[in-house]
Amino acid sequence: MQINEDQLKKFILDGGLVSKTDFEEASKIAETKKQKVSNVLLSLGKISEADLKKTEAFVLGIPFVNLADQKIDFSVLSLIPEPIARNYNIVAYKKSEENKKSKENENSLEVAMLDVDDLPVIDFIKKRSGLKILPRLTDTASIRSVLVQYRQSLTAEFQDIIQKESSALKISSGDENNSDGEKMPEKSESELKDLAEDLPVVKIVDSLIFHAILQNASDIHIEPGESELTVRYRIDGILHDAMVLDKNAGSGITARIKVLSNLKLDEKRLPQDGRFKIEQNGEKISFRVSTLPTFFGEKTVIRILKENAHGFSLEILGFHGEGLERIHGSLKQKTGMILATGPTGSGKTTTLYTMLDLLNRPEVNISTVEDPIEYQMPRVNQTQVKPEIGLTFANGLRSLLRQDPDIVMVGEIRDGETAGLAINASLTGHLVLSTIHTNSASGAIPRLMDMGVEPFLITATVKTIIAQRLVRRLTTNKEKYFLSPAELENLGKIVDLDRTIDFLKTEKILGPDEVWEKVPFYKPVKSAESEDGYAGRVGIHEVLTVTQTIREMILKNSSQDEIEAQAKKEGMLTMLEDGVFQAVLGQISLEEIFRVVSE
């Protein structure tokens, strides 16, 4: 469904939407940049998006629809999964059932789009729904309005299901105490299995998992209390209450999750670990399950891992400038070690996978040993650690080195044995990527020494150390403000503002004469898009290259602070400085940086 550019020009000019001079100016820019004239007019602010889309719809002979204030039935909305709707800017808003009088719209689905030329996505929705697709043009405001309805509709449906099923569950499971107030005997394994397969329990667990995936939660916490069961989701690194259930629901929900992850149903005194997988909307998702006995019952935590997540680049992860150049330089090495450091959940593994993706070429053999395998990568030999049968990081790495690898990734260096093997692997002609738990890049060096690695081996192998944290990203709806002299003075006590502004000027983010008083920062603003003004996360980093000077300092047993001071002299941007750098870009707030990075 191609738009005739000549017709579009005629209608825009005849309608008086754009002057002839402005149109000709936009045409020249479009020709130079090889873009559509309509997109150039839009970017220059010469025409509103609504007017442009209405004109395009008129030229194509299809309706333009405004969905900004329209409530859409969830059964119709859910015909297009939210990830597809969000990524391709397409939403379903009206379904026409079979009509004997009119065959034109029989069993059809009206979809609103920003780009009706996107035929593959139309074909995908047609196959998925089994309906005739009728494309309609709309604008960005309409798409955003409908995307918000996904969350609102799901929340309402989720609460209805949970409340309805938990009341049914309460009747079926009964109280834990008998009529005399005495503690009832523990349920047998067969009774627990029957409870796990009870329809209300199955529906509750399915709803909890489905809703967590749609909200992009990384973890589900199911926590028993004295009188209630609390369910919380970790979204963008922050825990949010999802639902409070009756305490009686706990045993059934835990039993159901144990059945899914193949754990012992009647073992409640010892912690257990398991995993299971599902496929949803063509996406494979793994769940890592951990149960822990607490005073009021078993607490269950489920980690959600999207296996085939892809499309990351170092730039998307938040790397830039000198730090980005240093990483690309280290990836050209044939031997040595690249380490990613930070606490649990700081995105270290995602950074390693992104680097592996850049290194993944037909002429190299890449092998990994991980716990767990978080993303599946084509042409990469990935091994899952299984300590219960003796397959530890150390044993896995030892066997892996007999498989003729060029590049090795070790999920985590946890002990001296693994550290020693990783060091030896890098000495014997391999490029080794791994993670280690420290708070800063310079902190990785004393940590390796604590594990028993000799300083001369560290200097011979470690090339680059990346430290990182994940901070919540601001939405487009944010409030601009400027720091007062007092606020700048306080900020200057923890961040070297002169260094940071020099970096900003070097990367041409700020002009050569800019001063901090005139630099805007941003605060989160609550909106329909986000309850707290944040959506998604981005990394803040420090990238330390082990130079000749730093090697000499390591051999002299220099302190972590001395190594960091030298790295800063050699151009390393610290995490706090990188956070302020990205706050100036308008991606994150200063409050978020200080919440995540504490020094």
Side-chain angles (χ1 to χ4, degrees):
M1 212 182 289
Q2 292 286 330
I3 293 173
N4 186 309
E5 291 292 324
D6 292 333
Q7 272 191 304
L8 184 64
K9 176 183 176 180
K10 183 178 183 302
F11 282 117
I12 287 173
L13 293 174
D14 288 353
L17 299 171
V18 175
S19 70
K20 195 170 182 180
T21 311
D22 286 341
F23 197 96
E24 285 171 0
E25 184 191 334
S27 297
K28 287 175 186 173
I29 295 169
E31 197 174 332
T32 308
K33 294 187 174 180
K34 294 182 180 177
Q35 293 179 348
K36 288 182 180 179
V37 181
S38 54
N39 290 342
V40 174
L41 286 169
L42 203 58
S43 64
L44 292 172
K46 302 296 182 186
I47 189 170
S48 71
E49 190 193 16
D51 285 341
L52 176 62
K53 293 296 178 186
K54 284 173 186 174
T55 310
E56 287 181 352
F58 190 74
V59 171
L60 290 166
I62 62 172
F64 172 86
V65 291
N66 183 358
L67 304 173
D69 300 312
Q70 193 170 320
K71 178 70 180 163
I72 299 166
D73 185 80
F74 185 64
S75 62
V76 176
L77 189 67
S78 59
L79 288 170
I80 298 177
E82 188 187 10
I84 300 292
R86 195 174 290 280
N87 291 335
Y88 294 95
N89 290 308
I90 178 168
V91 292
Y93 70 95
K94 189 178 179 183
K95 183 181 173 187
S96 303
E97 300 297 338
E98 190 172 347
N99 188 340
K100 290 179 182 177
K101 292 181 182 177
S102 170
K103 294 285 180 183
E104 186 184 350
N105 292 343
E106 183 182 304
N107 287 341
S108 62
L109 181 67
E110 292 184 48
V111 298
M113 313 175 67
L114 294 183
D115 180 13
V116 291
D117 290 345
D118 199 343
L119 299 179
V121 75
I122 294 173
D123 192 47
F124 167 78
I125 294 161
K126 183 181 178 181
K127 287 176 182 173
R128 192 177 188 279
S129 64
L131 299 166
K132 180 184 176 183
I133 305 300
L134 304 176
R136 309 292 188 231
L137 264 179
T138 191
D139 55 15
T140 306
S142 290
I143 295 286
R144 279 184 184 162
S145 170
V146 177
L147 288 174
V148 169
Q149 290 185 40
Y150 272 96
R151 183 168 290 186
Q152 291 170 345
S153 300
L154 278 165
T155 303
E157 186 194 46
F158 174 67
Q159 289 177 346
D160 286 347
I161 289 172
I162 295 291
Q163 285 165 1
K164 180 183 167 187
E165 302 301 341
S166 61
S167 61
L169 186 105
K170 188 174 178 180
I171 297 162
S172 62
S173 63
D175 291 334
E176 290 191 1
N177 295 339
N178 63 18
S179 56
D180 298 325
E182 295 172 345
K183 192 79 174 172
M184 293 286 282
E186 292 284 335
K187 290 184 175 68
S188 67
E189 187 174 0
S190 60
E191 286 174 321
L192 285 166
K193 194 167 185 180
D194 290 340
L195 185 58
E197 289 167 0
D198 193 20
L199 192 60
V201 173
V202 172
K203 282 188 176 179
I204 286 174
V205 173
D206 287 353
S207 297
L208 287 172
I209 290 170
F210 177 69
H211 198 63
I213 293 166
L214 284 166
Q215 288 200 46
N216 284 321
S218 60
D219 301 85
I220 305 170
H221 289 240
I222 301 163
E223 303 166 337
E226 187 174 3
S227 57
E228 57 193 23
L229 185 77
T230 306
V231 179
R232 299 195 287 173
Y233 291 157
R234 189 177 292 281
I235 302 167
D236 294 336
I238 305 288
L239 277 169
H240 301 268
D241 281 357
M243 184 58 57
V244 177
L245 302 173
D246 189 276
K247 183 172 169 56
N248 292 326
S251 56
I253 290 171
T254 304
R256 174 65 185 162
I257 293 165
K258 283 182 173 180
V259 165
L260 289 171
S261 45
N262 204 22
L263 300 178
K264 293 178 182 176
L265 286 170
D266 55 348
E267 179 56 82
K268 297 181 180 181
R269 298 168 301 168
L270 291 172
Q272 294 189 74
D273 293 299
R275 45 178 56 87
F276 64 96
K277 288 184 184 182
I278 65 166
E279 190 166 329
Q280 185 173 299
N281 302 325
E283 188 174 35
K284 288 180 181 176
I285 300 164
S286 284
F287 300 88
R288 198 170 64 193
V289 176
S290 169
T291 66
L292 181 74
T294 67
F295 188 76
F296 294 113
E298 280 184 288
K299 180 190 172 184
T300 306
V301 175
I302 305 172
R303 165 64 59 90
I304 302 170
L305 304 164
K306 293 182 179 178
E307 284 188 0
N308 44 1
H310 60 280
F312 290 120
S313 69
L314 291 171
E315 291 84 352
I316 287 171
L317 296 181
F319 290 98
H320 58 87
E322 178 70 20
L324 183 63
E325 292 302 317
R326 288 177 174 194
I327 294 171
H328 281 303
S330 64
L331 293 177
K332 289 174 185 170
Q333 304 283 328
K334 299 293 181 189
T335 62
M337 283 182 75
I338 302 170
L339 294 173
T341 80
T344 303
S346 60
K348 301 185 297 294
T349 309
T350 303
T351 298
L352 290 190
Y353 275 115
T354 306
M355 290 194 282
L356 280 186
D357 199 34
L358 292 171
L359 293 165
N360 195 359
R361 300 184 305 275
E363 62 267 26
V364 295
N365 172 17
I366 302 176
S367 297
T368 75
V369 54
E370 306 171 54
D371 184 25
I373 295 171
E374 293 196 17
Y375 308 131
Q376 289 179 346
M377 296 190 75
R379 301 179 70 94
V380 174
N381 310 291
Q382 296 172 272
T383 302
Q384 169 72 53
V385 167
K386 290 178 183 170
E388 64 273 14
I389 58 168
L391 181 54
T392 60
F393 272 116
N395 289 340
L397 180 54
R398 195 177 280 110
S399 302
L400 186 151
L401 291 171
R402 301 188 198 112
Q403 293 276 313
D404 185 33
D406 298 294
I407 298 162
V408 174
M409 183 184 107
V410 185
E412 187 185 335
I413 293 176
R414 293 178 179 172
D415 52 47
E417 189 181 6
T418 310
L421 285 164
I423 292 281
N424 285 330
S426 60
L427 284 170
T428 52
H430 306 89
L431 182 62
V432 179
L433 283 72
S434 190
T435 71
I436 191 168
H437 284 285
T438 62
N439 288 327
S440 64
S442 55
I445 293 161
R447 180 79 183 100
L448 286 170
M449 290 180 184
D450 285 344
M451 290 181 183
V453 180
E454 294 290 345
F456 73 89
L457 289 174
I458 296 173
T459 60
T461 54
V462 179
K463 306 290 185 189
T464 305
I465 307 168
I466 303 156
Q468 65 182 71
R469 300 287 188 281
L470 288 177
V471 292
R472 292 180 296 167
R473 200 192 290 264
L474 289 164
T475 62
T476 50
N477 191 20
K478 55 197 173 190
E479 182 188 336
K480 184 192 285 190
Y481 72 100
F482 296 89
L483 292 177
S484 67
E487 288 171 326
L488 274 170
E489 189 182 339
N490 288 332
L491 183 61
K493 290 174 184 175
I494 48 176
V495 179
D496 189 332
L497 292 177
D498 291 337
R499 282 189 87 237
T500 310
I501 204 164
D502 286 343
F503 277 109
L504 286 159
K505 288 174 181 177
T506 303
E507 292 193 29
K508 295 183 169 55
I509 307 299
L510 296 177
D513 302 322
E514 289 274 10
V515 291
W516 279 116
E517 286 77 10
K518 299 287 176 67
V519 174
F521 288 89
Y522 298 86
K523 289 178 181 176
V525 175
K526 292 182 182 181
S527 64
E529 191 182 347
S530 169
E531 289 178 8
D532 51 15
Y534 296 101
R537 288 190 289 176
V538 68
I540 55 174
H541 310 88
E542 56 187 38
V543 183
L544 187 154
T545 301
V546 182
T547 59
Q548 185 57 42
T549 315
I550 291 174
R551 286 193 193 100
E552 289 168 7
M553 292 177 77
I554 293 169
L555 291 171
K556 289 176 187 173
N557 277 330
S558 296
S559 71
Q560 178 180 329
D561 291 341
E562 288 170 332
I563 292 169
E564 183 172 301
Q566 180 60 33
K568 285 171 74 174
K569 283 180 190 172
E570 294 175 2
M572 182 184 83
L573 199 63
T574 67
M575 262 186 296
L576 272 172
E577 290 166 349
D578 190 34
V580 174
F581 184 102
Q582 297 206 43
V584 172
L585 293 177
Q587 293 203 60
I588 58 180
S589 68
L590 288 174
E591 293 80 6
E592 184 65 6
I593 301 162
F594 302 134
R595 180 187 69 80
V596 172
V597 184
S598 54
E599 289 191 352

